[in-house]
Amino acid sequence: MNYAEFYNHSVSNPQAFWENEARLIDWQQPFSQALDYSRPPFTKWFVGGKTNLCHNAVDRWIGTQADQPALIAISTETGTEKVYSFTELLAEVNRAAAVMQSLGVAKGDRVLIYMPMVAEAAFAMLACARIGAIHSVVFGGFASNSLATRIDDAKPKLIFSADAGSRAGKIVEYKPLLDEAINLARHKPSHVLLVNRGLAPMKLLADRDLDYSALRQQHFDANVPLVWLDSGDPSYVLYTSGTTGKPKGVQRDVGGYAVALASSMKHIFCGNPGETYFATSDIGWVVGHSYIVYGPLIAGMATIMYEGLPVRPDAGVWWGIVEKYKVTRMFSAPTAVRVLKKHPPELMKKYDLSSLKALYLAGEPLDETTSEWIASQLGVPVIDNYWQTETGWPILSVAKGIEDTPTRLGSPGIPMPGYKVKIINETTGALCGPNEKGVVVLEGPLPPGCMQTIYGDDERFVNTYWSDVGNAQVYSTFDWGIRDADGYYFILGRTDDVINVAGHRLGTREIEESISSHPNVSEVAVVGVEDKIKGQAAIAFVIPRNAETAATPQAKLALEAEIMAVVDKQLGAVARPSRVYFVTLLPKTRSGKLLRRSIQAICEGRDPGDLTTIEDPLSLQQIKAALAG
């Protein structure tokens, strides 16, 4: 079967297609109905079936690969490294589950996990899945206000945290942030369970705070029975930013998610039992849930949890890991590749990377320059993929597990099984033609693995995602895109990252891609700034590859003119930035996403807003200095 036939079967007969894919996981009780879409846009998958994520990720591999690596925890921050076999991982999960049960956690209770990238975070997630608790992982180091809003929304019975994390050798104390968040929150958890890494002093609050190590010893030989869950039971809640300022709790099911991950690991990521998967993300984000913890383990692979930077102790650290653990599939982000691009390629070449079969990149649009560079360095396919926290697994990519479909530079690919992707006019709802820009939407029913609803707020789920585009009830991704004549999709940036210049609507992504094609551009951020004549003007902030070429005012003017000429040639004068400024840092979150709204606010003399996730505050000072200079 070629991919076109495979895909068409998934959208024309989803019942039969997903019944077959559901064989990739274990069911304690078979489902009676693969799909129930009787109440659009709410979708129920594998109705009547019972399964468990922890069983499918850990228990079921004990019979065939008990002693093979399952979890590889590496911290270049603390200089520690430990490999857990499937047997050892199961034992640790049982201990964590027993500790949680001893503290009164049961099926349906929420457990908030506020942890660095340490093995105990994975134990906690899998333990929740084992006993039917609903975990909500919050990115480690989130500021107290942000954490408090999530505590109040999820109302956890238990919070699982640690004394501290570490980034670039700097200790990030979690306990004081957590204490302040609990003080700010209306909801108070019954207990706070703490892993003491010895990185920062911790003051334990009597009757609330507990040391995990001591309780783990008490339950060292625990054997906690699996709680078999209905396919539609919630597995976790993961918060993502909302346009109203209140974060949205993306709620995921159990059965649909397990099947989607098993299917994507087979068809998209081509993972096999006994191999090693390395995703460089964080468990605080959806990639960490789907492709650090659950997906690789469900596929019977070893998975790497990495605490550290891609350039510390040097820019070869990731490639040393690939060599040592014979990584076959690697998942990262374009931002990380752009960072590595600034460092000597010899640091990559010194390692044996022959085990690596493909590099997958997601999280932001992948420009052609970055894609071509890393592909040439690694000598393996670079496969883009596009998806969201809300979908849980890729919407667009290429499924090389079905057919060796060619990739196309600048495009994340074609629709993956079950996703009915359309480009429609934002005003009329009419279908756009080839190469005509519109909003990327998905027709219902959404495939397995996608969000069920917004936690505790079905109305907001409908109003936010299903009521935005034209008159049709479709899921809006809030992304601009085009589809070429061959069916490849190109993502042009968020609909709220659009610049309106004299009536022309321009995506920041389009301008950034054009600027990044200049040979002396390492990274770029484009924002739309208020202009009294044109409505908005595009302003670009560029990190040059060679800083000396922008060391003097005359050099800056010359390079700015060159960059503007590139945009003129590729997109036309209407897309030309009104100014190009040169910096050495761009404001980003710790997960690598550009803080465009904060940059825009500074340009317009406004408050840059919530900066709790910023990687380096000095980057904002550079923006201000560039504007002033």
Side-chain angles (χ1 to χ4, degrees):
M1 182 183 292
N2 62 32
Y3 182 72
E5 294 169 334
F6 186 77
Y7 171 76
N8 288 334
H9 180 47
S10 77
V11 292
S12 63
N13 193 347
Q15 292 263 14
F17 179 88
W18 290 108
E19 278 179 13
N20 187 61
E21 293 300 295
R23 296 173 184 170
L24 293 171
I25 71 162
D26 285 353
W27 296 88
Q28 187 261 348
Q29 177 178 301
F31 50 87
S32 56
Q33 183 181 4
L35 168 63
D36 177 358
Y37 197 51
S38 58
R39 192 168 71 97
F42 299 94
T43 307
K44 295 180 180 178
W45 286 101
F46 311 114
V47 179
K50 288 185 180 291
T51 188
N52 184 285
L53 277 169
C54 181
H55 167 83
N56 280 288
V58 187
D59 298 64
R60 72 166 172 158
W61 299 110
I62 296 300
T64 55
Q65 50 198 76
D67 298 326
Q68 291 189 22
L71 180 68
I72 301 164
I74 301 169
S75 173
T76 52
E77 297 290 333
T78 59
T80 56
E81 203 165 313
K82 184 169 174 59
V83 179
Y84 298 85
S85 68
F86 276 95
T87 298
E88 290 166 333
L89 177 58
L90 180 59
E92 291 291 355
V93 170
N94 270 300
R95 290 161 192 150
V99 169
M100 289 182 187
Q101 287 184 332
S102 74
L103 300 177
V105 176
K107 177 187 173 184
D109 288 334
R110 275 79 60 210
V111 175
L112 190 143
I113 300 170
Y114 182 61
M115 296 276 276
M117 285 291 287
V118 291
E120 287 85 355
F123 304 158
M125 292 171 70
L126 290 162
C128 288
R130 187 171 197 82
I131 64 177
I134 301 167
H135 64 66
S136 183
V137 182
V138 178
F139 180 70
F142 247 17
S144 299
N145 284 327
S146 299
L147 183 54
T149 61
R150 288 153 174 80
I151 292 171
D152 277 335
D153 196 69
K155 297 179 175 57
K157 177 173 282 190
L158 171 70
I159 295 179
F160 205 145
S161 190
D163 59 338
S166 180
R167 188 169 181 85
K170 298 176 182 177
I171 302 302
V172 181
E173 295 191 33
Y174 284 20
K175 185 59 162 57
L177 293 169
L178 178 57
D179 287 343
E180 177 63 16
I182 294 172
N183 287 337
L184 291 170
R186 295 184 301 278
H187 174 81
K188 309 297 178 185
S190 301
H191 296 287
V192 173
L193 196 56
L194 294 153
V195 173
N196 188 351
R197 305 178 71 196
L199 297 180
M202 274 197 304
K203 184 178 180 182
L204 300 186
L205 189 65
D207 301 324
R208 188 197 75 182
D209 297 347
L210 300 163
D211 177 65
Y212 176 67
S213 179
L215 288 175
R216 174 181 173 274
Q217 279 302 124
Q218 291 178 25
H219 299 278
F220 196 81
D221 298 318
N223 185 4
V224 176
L226 287 153
V227 175
W228 296 102
L229 302 169
D230 288 336
S231 176
D233 282 343
S235 57
Y236 67 77
V237 175
L238 180 60
Y239 288 90
T240 187
S241 58
T243 54
T244 62
K246 179 185 178 183
K248 305 184 295 285
V250 170
Q251 179 180 312
R252 194 95 63 210
D253 69 359
V254 176
Y257 188 50
V259 171
L261 292 183
S263 179
S264 68
M265 288 301 300
K266 179 181 180 181
H267 304 313
I268 302 173
F269 298 102
C270 306
N272 297 304
E275 295 180 342
T276 304
Y277 197 93
F278 181 16
T280 67
S281 184
D282 187 285
I283 56 158
W285 315 120
V286 70
V287 173
H289 284 57
S290 294
Y291 298 113
I292 294 179
V293 178
Y294 291 115
L297 292 173
I298 286 172
M301 302 179 78
T303 185
I304 293 173
M305 282 187 74
Y306 176 73
E307 181 186 43
L309 300 177
V311 294
R312 191 172 183 269
D314 61 45
V317 61
W318 283 358
W319 315 112
I321 291 170
V322 170
E323 177 186 80
K324 182 174 182 179
Y325 292 104
K326 295 181 171 55
V327 172
T328 55
R329 308 281 164 175
M330 189 168 175
F331 191 135
S332 194
T335 290
V337 175
R338 294 186 195 111
V339 169
L340 292 171
K341 191 177 171 186
K342 301 174 186 175
H343 293 263
E346 294 77 28
L347 292 168
M348 186 182 300
K349 299 291 187 183
K350 65 187 277 192
Y351 296 100
D352 178 3
L353 306 182
S354 58
S355 65
L356 191 64
K357 297 176 182 176
L359 172 66
Y360 300 83
L361 296 174
E364 60 187 289
L366 173 62
D367 61 277
E368 295 183 21
T369 307
T370 301
S371 179
E372 288 179 328
W373 178 81
I374 192 64
S376 69
Q377 295 299 313
L378 293 176
V380 302
V382 174
I383 301 171
D384 198 356
N385 57 112
Y386 161 76
W387 48 298
Q388 302 178 317
T389 301
E390 290 85 347
T391 66
W393 62 286
I395 300 170
L396 301 169
S397 190
V398 290
K400 289 188 178 288
I402 300 296
E403 182 182 10
D404 192 13
T405 308
T407 57
R408 186 159 295 185
L409 284 172
S411 168
I414 57 180
M416 291 295 95
Y419 286 108
K420 292 184 277 188
V421 187
K422 307 290 181 187
I423 307 285
I424 67 175
N425 183 285
E426 65 167 329
T427 304
T428 66
L431 196 65
C432 294
N435 299 308
E436 182 184 347
K437 189 201 302 185
V439 180
V440 181
V441 302
L442 308 174
E443 290 184 350
L446 297 181
C450 293
M451 69 187 299
Q452 294 174 293
T453 187
I454 291 175
Y455 179 69
D457 201 339
D458 286 351
E459 183 180 358
R460 190 182 180 196
F461 171 64
V462 175
N463 291 340
T464 298
Y465 294 104
W466 295 89
S467 308
D468 188 64
V469 187
N471 298 314
Q473 189 180 61
V474 289
Y475 170 93
S476 175
T477 66
F478 299 100
D479 279 314
W480 293 112
I482 59 171
R483 175 184 179 274
D484 70 14
D486 298 321
Y488 285 79
Y489 287 76
F490 296 76
I491 304 301
L492 305 176
R494 297 290 290 177
T495 55
D496 50 10
D497 281 338
V498 168
I499 303 172
N500 193 331
V501 181
H504 298 276
R505 295 170 66 81
L506 305 167
T508 56
R509 154 81 164 131
E510 296 167 290
I511 304 173
E512 287 173 353
E513 176 130 0
S514 177
I515 292 173
S516 68
S517 68
H518 188 286
N520 195 21
V521 171
S522 174
E523 289 189 71
V524 57
V526 172
V527 296
V529 177
E530 185 178 359
D531 184 285
K532 292 181 180 178
I533 297 174
K534 297 180 180 179
Q536 279 187 306
I539 291 182
F541 293 89
V542 166
I543 299 177
R545 285 182 59 77
N546 183 351
E548 292 180 5
T549 59
T552 66
Q554 293 80 6
K556 289 178 181 177
L557 287 172
L559 185 53
E560 181 179 31
E562 285 182 23
I563 290 170
M564 287 182 172
V566 169
V567 178
D568 273 1
K569 182 178 179 181
Q570 294 183 0
L571 299 178
V574 68
R576 182 201 306 143
S578 62
R579 284 299 313 270
V580 178
Y581 294 100
F582 299 99
V583 294
T584 61
L585 285 172
L586 288 172
K588 295 177 186 175
T589 67
R590 287 187 286 274
S591 65
K593 292 190 177 181
L594 283 167
L595 289 166
R596 285 194 184 85
R597 292 185 188 178
S598 297
I599 298 172
Q600 182 188 49
I602 290 172
C603 292
E604 295 179 347
R606 296 183 285 106
D607 183 341
D610 181 11
L611 298 173
T612 55
T613 63
I614 193 167
E615 167 73 25
D616 189 341
L618 291 176
S619 57
L620 290 178
Q621 297 301 322
Q622 285 206 22
I623 297 293
K624 292 176 181 176
L627 292 167

